[in-house]
Amino acid sequence: MRQFDSNLETEYIDAQSQRNLLIARFIYLSNCCFILIFVFWDIIIDWEHAKTTFVIRGLATAFSLVLFALSFVKKLQNYTFLCSYISALVCHLAQAIVLTIIEQGIVYGTTALTFFPSILVVLAPTDSATLSVGALGFFLVPNLVMAIANTDRFLWLNANIFLLTICLLFYILGLLIDRLRRQTFLLEKNLEQQATKDELTGVANRRFFLELATRELQRAQRYNKNLSLLLLDIDYFKRINDNYGHPVGDQAIIALADLLTRVV
């Protein structure tokens, strides 16, 4: 049964990057929608400052749309979580700035600061250090904005209760989701190994051989190329089983499979 090693870790990260790509694009668009929807909230709460907040929200939306477009660039697809995190953090920053500009914005809109960490957690990075930095960023950015805006101490405390709660949840849920995904990935790999590997020797079994042979034959026919097949037989194998027993015969098969794996 396979366990996580450096090779499997690389496979896991690659698989997560591909899976997370579509989720990341959804997050970019969700950030834009969420930011723009709150324009109406700004108008209702404080019409005088709505134009200013519209510009701030517009810049954050434009930034997320740029990252959405860049997500189709293949070279940047390995940085899916980082780009998604930056997008969410910029929108988080814009939301915090708006709340300090709008009259009593901290009073009415603190819960809005929980949206971006909540939606980003579904990407769940693959290490606790990244999660820690992510949670810390979501906590510190609004605090920096409130400090610059000289926010009332009571309102600051009220906002930090929400922020601390959501950042802790972001960190804990991220760890749990990553652990669950690792267990699922390992189970899939073990099932794949059981379906395609011979239990005795660890080399590819009949099922895998037939699938691979079918693909290679079709490839050779498609591109009009030659295809070779190497057949091997163990001479006097029956004598080994008869004279020394089947366990020794199994060891002979394992030794041959190991030799072929190393030299072919």
Side-chain angles (χ1 to χ4, degrees):
M1 188 171 182
R2 292 187 69 178
Q3 298 295 332
F4 262 96
D5 53 24
S6 58
N7 292 330
L8 196 59
E9 180 73 20
T10 301
E11 289 183 43
Y12 172 72
I13 293 174
D14 290 341
Q16 291 292 32
S17 296
Q18 292 300 317
R19 183 196 64 84
N20 286 341
L21 187 58
L22 291 177
I23 299 176
R25 290 170 182 165
F26 170 76
I27 288 177
Y28 296 141
L29 297 179
S30 297
N31 290 344
C32 296
C33 293
F34 184 83
I35 282 286
L36 292 177
I37 286 172
F38 266 77
V39 169
F40 299 101
W41 181 84
D42 298 345
I43 294 172
I44 294 171
I45 298 297
D46 188 353
W47 167 255
E48 292 182 2
H49 295 100
K51 291 182 179 180
T52 304
T53 60
F54 178 76
V55 173
I56 295 171
R57 293 187 186 279
L59 290 173
T61 300
F63 184 78
S64 288
L65 288 176
V66 169
L67 288 179
F68 174 78
L70 291 176
S71 69
F72 292 92
V73 178
K74 195 167 185 179
K75 290 183 179 180
L76 298 178
Q77 291 177 0
N78 292 329
Y79 304 97
T80 299
F81 177 79
L82 177 62
C83 293
S84 301
Y85 174 69
I86 292 173
S87 171
L89 195 62
V90 168
C91 292
H92 194 62
L93 171 63
Q95 184 67 23
I97 294 174
V98 167
L99 292 182
T100 59
I101 293 175
I102 294 290
E103 185 177 352
Q104 293 188 319
I106 299 295
V107 176
Y108 296 118
T110 304
T111 52
L113 294 173
T114 64
F115 175 80
F116 300 107
S118 300
I119 193 171
L120 187 65
V121 76
V122 297
L123 286 181
T126 56
D127 60 90
S128 58
T130 306
L131 272 172
S132 301
V133 172
L136 188 62
F138 283 123
F139 181 77
L140 291 179
V141 164
N143 272 282
L144 179 62
V145 173
M146 287 187 288
I148 295 173
N150 197 25
T151 303
D152 178 78
R153 184 171 297 180
F154 176 77
L155 296 179
W156 173 85
L157 181 61
N158 181 58
N160 270 281
I161 291 174
F162 282 102
L163 285 171
L164 187 60
T165 301
I166 196 64
C167 288
L168 284 174
L169 285 174
F170 171 81
Y171 180 78
I172 294 171
L173 287 176
L175 288 178
L176 291 176
I177 290 173
D178 182 57
R179 182 176 180 181
L180 179 61
R181 285 177 180 164
R182 284 176 179 274
Q183 290 175 346
T184 303
F185 182 78
L186 187 59
L187 179 61
E188 290 173 352
K189 284 298 177 181
N190 284 323
L191 289 174
E192 178 183 330
Q193 186 178 49
Q194 291 174 14
T196 60
K197 300 292 184 181
D198 177 67
E199 185 177 353
L200 177 65
T201 62
V203 298
N205 60 14
R206 176 188 175 91
R207 176 180 178 179
F208 181 82
F209 167 75
L210 292 176
E211 291 176 354
L212 180 62
T214 301
R215 290 199 304 269
E216 291 302 319
L217 182 60
Q218 291 173 347
R219 190 200 307 271
Q221 291 173 340
R222 186 184 310 122
Y223 297 106
N224 194 26
K225 291 186 176 181
N226 295 327
L227 182 66
S228 300
L229 179 64
L230 178 66
L231 296 177
L232 297 174
D233 185 32
I234 304 177
D235 293 336
Y236 310 114
F237 181 68
K238 187 176 183 303
R239 292 184 185 179
I240 298 176
N241 283 331
D242 292 343
N243 295 332
Y244 302 102
H246 289 284
V248 176
D250 288 345
Q251 292 301 315
I253 295 174
I254 293 172
L256 178 61
D258 182 60
L259 176 64
L260 291 173
T261 300
R262 285 187 281 110
V263 300
V264 176

